[in-house]
């Protein structure tokens, strides 16, 4: 499959900079191909910023970074209309959100008002300023980061905001061999400076279009729905996943199949994506939180009690 070769080229290009994180790179590409966004939660210094910059460079995409701080205003994100005395008209000055790939760095350090300015862009792909709607050029992808260990002066994302992210992932620390490799690569020059585009944004839009043609059997859809339904009936979950989560899991599964070189979805695709797609969309019960149970553990348990179906129809990769 031509798409699989293109995706493998992108992953290998990003791996020149981001060492030992092939799974996380692949998940990020799944989100991009599915038209979604990523919430990347991890400690500082593990390569979050480097990864999203490498993704942008690999596609030759227009990249912007927004450093979220407590004093950041919504207009600092979306843009603002400024009166031009010469033309006697208001002119729209584009904000940094108007880019192909955006890094929303430390999103939980800004106020809820500024956080909410992202909602329209994440969901609709445009922003509205003074009653005028401004479309964001496609492809559009946001990777938001947050630090999970420093909560002083932060504003946790509300449920409505979390639900706009297709995936929530972590990078984690490298192992000793990977860390030694990082040191060797950075000794003389940052490898990010040597990254060149291997595809362009038109290629990315074509790959997105191919995701829509990936086949998913009715049995797979029923399996997916069963998983989501279980989140609404489990005693350890006080608020289950909404239908938006079902749609997100469907889109992500089709994108993952394409990344893996297939034109059909397997049960393993759904199982693999259940945690990164659903874990941030549910609320654990008081009992679960007091017991120290994580959302990951709850989802794993409910998946294990659902019978895995056998697809009635299986298509071969072209």
């Amino acid at each position: 499959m031509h798409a699989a070769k293109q995706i493998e080229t992108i992953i290998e290009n990003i791996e020149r900079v981001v060492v030992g994180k092939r799974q996380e790179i692949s998940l990020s590409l799944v989100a991009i191909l599915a038209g979604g966004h990523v919430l990347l939660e991890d400690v500082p210094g593990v390569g979050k910023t480097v990864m999203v910059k490498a993704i942008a460079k690999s596609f030759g995409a227009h990249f912007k970074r927004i450093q979220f701080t407590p004093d950041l205003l919504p207009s600092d994100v979306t843009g603002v209309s400024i009166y031009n005395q010469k033309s006697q008209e208001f002119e729209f000055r584009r904000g940094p959100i108007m880019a192909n790939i955006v890094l929303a760095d430390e999103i939980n350090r800004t106020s809820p008002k500024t956080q909410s300015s992202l909602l329209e862009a994440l969901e609709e792909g445009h922003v509205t300023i003074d009653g005028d709607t401004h479309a964001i050029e496609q492809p559009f992808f946001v990777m938001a980061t947050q630090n999970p260990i420093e909560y002083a002066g932060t504003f946790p994302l509300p449920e409505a905001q979390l639900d706009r992210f297709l995936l929530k992932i972590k990078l984690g620390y490298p192992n000793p061999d990977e860390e030694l490799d990082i040191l060797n690569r950075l000794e003389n020059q940052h490898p990010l400076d040597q990254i060149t585009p291997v595809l362009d944004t038109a290629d990315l839009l074509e790959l997105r279009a191919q995701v829509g043609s990936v086949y998913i059997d009715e049995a797979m859809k029923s399996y997916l729905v069963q998983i989501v339904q279980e989140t609404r009936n489990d005693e350890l979950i006080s608020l289950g996943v909404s239908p938006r989560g079902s749609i997100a899991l469907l889109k992500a599964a089709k994108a993952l199949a394409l990344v893996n070189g297939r034109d059909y979805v397997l049960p393993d695709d759904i199982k693999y994506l259940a945690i990164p797609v659903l874990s941030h969309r549910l609320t654990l019960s008081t009992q679960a939180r007091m017991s120290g149970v994580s959302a990951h553990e709850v989802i794993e348990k409910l998946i294990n009690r659902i019978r895995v179906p056998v697809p009635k129809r299986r298509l071969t990769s072209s």
Side-chain angles (χ1 to χ4, degrees):
M1 183 183 288
H2 181 55
K5 292 181 180 178
Q6 289 181 310
I7 293 166
E8 181 61 27
T9 301
I10 286 289
I11 293 174
E12 290 176 353
N13 201 49
I14 297 169
E15 284 185 316
R16 294 168 56 192
V17 180
V18 183
V19 179
K21 302 298 176 186
R22 187 179 183 87
Q23 177 180 334
E24 290 75 14
I25 294 170
S26 296
L27 284 173
S28 298
L29 290 179
V30 164
I32 295 173
L33 295 179
H37 310 282
V38 170
L39 179 61
L40 186 54
E41 184 179 79
D42 220 322
V43 297
V46 293
K48 300 187 294 292
T49 302
V50 171
M51 184 170 77
V52 68
K53 284 184 175 180
I55 292 171
K57 280 197 166 190
S58 295
F59 285 108
H62 182 208
F63 171 78
K64 286 289 185 181
R65 174 180 177 174
I66 309 171
Q67 184 63 53
F68 283 85
T69 55
D71 60 346
L72 197 73
L73 298 175
S75 59
D76 295 328
V77 175
T78 59
V80 64
S81 293
I82 297 178
Y83 185 73
N84 186 323
Q85 291 186 340
K86 187 175 181 179
S87 64
Q88 296 187 346
E89 293 179 346
F90 281 95
E91 296 178 351
F92 175 62
R93 298 290 177 87
R94 298 160 62 93
I97 197 65
M98 308 288 283
N100 295 131
I101 295 182
V102 179
L103 172 61
D105 213 0
E106 295 189 294
I107 189 173
N108 59 331
R109 292 203 175 279
T110 197
S111 68
K113 183 177 181 180
T114 303
Q115 289 174 1
S116 66
S117 67
L118 285 174
L119 286 177
E120 183 182 10
L122 292 176
E123 186 69 16
E124 306 294 339
H126 55 66
V127 296
T128 302
I129 308 295
D130 297 333
D132 294 325
T133 299
H134 304 271
I136 301 174
E137 183 182 355
Q138 294 296 322
F140 174 57
F141 169 68
V142 174
M143 180 173 283
T145 71
Q146 62 179 10
N147 184 343
I149 60 172
E150 294 180 0
Y151 291 106
T154 63
F155 303 89
L157 295 176
E159 305 301 330
Q161 186 102 346
L162 286 171
D163 210 26
R164 261 55 174 194
F165 291 99
L166 184 75
L167 303 173
K168 181 181 178 182
I169 62 178
K170 296 183 179 181
L171 285 181
Y173 289 118
N175 63 39
D177 290 338
E178 292 167 349
E179 194 154 4
L180 182 60
D181 191 6
I182 292 170
L183 294 180
N184 290 333
R185 295 188 189 195
L186 291 172
E187 189 171 2
N188 297 315
Q189 185 181 9
H190 201 298
L192 191 61
D193 298 332
Q194 301 174 333
I195 287 286
T196 55
V198 293
L199 295 179
D200 58 27
T201 53
D203 294 320
L204 174 54
L205 291 175
E206 175 59 29
L207 288 171
R208 277 189 175 182
Q210 291 185 46
V211 169
S213 63
V214 171
Y215 175 77
I216 179 167
D217 191 270
E218 286 300 318
M220 298 300 99
K221 291 180 184 177
S222 296
Y223 178 56
L224 184 156
V225 169
Q226 275 187 284
I227 293 174
V228 173
Q229 287 285 332
E230 281 295 308
T231 68
R232 302 169 190 167
N233 301 319
D234 195 291
E235 62 180 9
L236 295 177
I237 300 173
S238 61
L239 182 64
V241 175
S242 70
R244 183 184 284 135
S246 304
I247 297 169
L249 187 52
L250 174 66
K251 289 181 177 179
K254 295 176 75 169
L256 180 61
L258 190 70
V259 168
N260 290 334
R262 285 180 277 104
D263 56 7
Y264 54 90
V265 174
L266 292 177
D268 285 346
D269 297 324
I270 297 171
K271 291 175 66 176
Y272 178 74
L273 289 165
I275 290 176
V277 173
L278 304 180
S279 63
H280 60 291
R281 301 173 188 271
L282 53 82
T283 302
L284 295 178
S285 66
T286 303
Q287 174 191 348
R289 292 196 300 270
M290 291 181 65
S291 302
V293 178
S294 69
H296 290 202
E297 293 170 325
V298 173
I299 293 174
E300 282 182 352
K301 288 180 180 178
L302 65 85
I303 287 176
N304 290 335
R305 63 177 181 249
I306 298 174
R307 186 180 65 85
V308 178
V310 176
K312 296 180 181 178
R313 176 186 174 196
R314 180 166 173 167
L315 304 181
T316 56
S317 299
S318 58

